[in-house]
Amino acid sequence: MAHAALTSCGWNVGQGDIRDRNISNATLAYLDSIHDVEYVGLADTHDLENGNFQAVVIYNVTDSTGRKKEHNARVTTNHDGSEILTWEDLDSEVLSDTKQKISDKMEEKGINLDGSLIDALIELKNQTR
């Protein structure tokens, strides 16, 4: 399941294509040990001064009742993303926080936007990759 979700979310746009693909493959290898995991994507990506690369990996884990829970990890990789050097689980929910900020901004403008529409937009973006 993790493999299908990860490969379907290919990051194929821009100069970081190879690195993003490498990070996706390295993440898949790391997440393969977790049952019912779905890779969502990357956030807060940046190069480090020592030549390594760091990103926040967003993934969902489905519990025994079928409910998905967002998980995030700060991941440091080598310069081309092919090897994970460190994996630090985070307590934050990057995607949920972002969805809430978008909903709040839209509500300020008088547009009632629920999270399901944002989820649908994310799914549509993943399908076009």
Side-chain angles (χ1 to χ4, degrees), residues 70-110:
E70 179 183 326
H71 291 264
N72 301 282
R74 178 169 289 112
V75 177
T76 303
T77 69
N78 60 341
H79 70 285
D80 70 354
S82 63
E83 180 183 354
I84 293 177
L85 304 174
T86 64
W87 181 284
E88 174 192 358
D89 287 314
L90 302 175
D91 290 333
S92 69
E93 293 185 354
V94 174
L95 193 55
S96 296
D97 293 345
T98 302
K99 286 169 36 177
Q100 185 60 51
K101 286 178 185 177
I102 291 170
S103 294
D104 292 347
K105 282 286 189 190
M106 297 302 278
E107 197 171 293
E108 286 175 13
K109 297 180 187 247

Side-chain angles (χ1 to χ4, degrees), residues 5-18:
L6 183 61
T7 55
S8 69
C9 292
W11 294 79
N12 297 324
V13 179
Q15 189 169 353
D17 290 352
I18 293 171

Side-chain angles (χ1 to χ4, degrees), residues 2 5-6 9 27-28 30-43 56-62 68-75 87-96:
L6 183 61
C9 292
T27 300
L28 171 63
Y30 185 88
L31 292 177
D32 255 354
S33 64
I34 303 172
H35 183 65
D36 288 332
V37 67
E38 174 188 15
Y39 176 81
V40 176
L42 300 175
V56 173
V57 173
I58 305 167
Y59 60 100
N60 291 325
V61 176
T62 305
K68 290 183 182 181
K69 179 158 177 21
E70 179 183 326
H71 291 264
N72 301 282
R74 178 169 289 112
V75 177
W87 181 284
E88 174 192 358
D89 287 314
L90 302 175
D91 290 333
S92 69
E93 293 185 354
V94 174
L95 193 55
S96 296

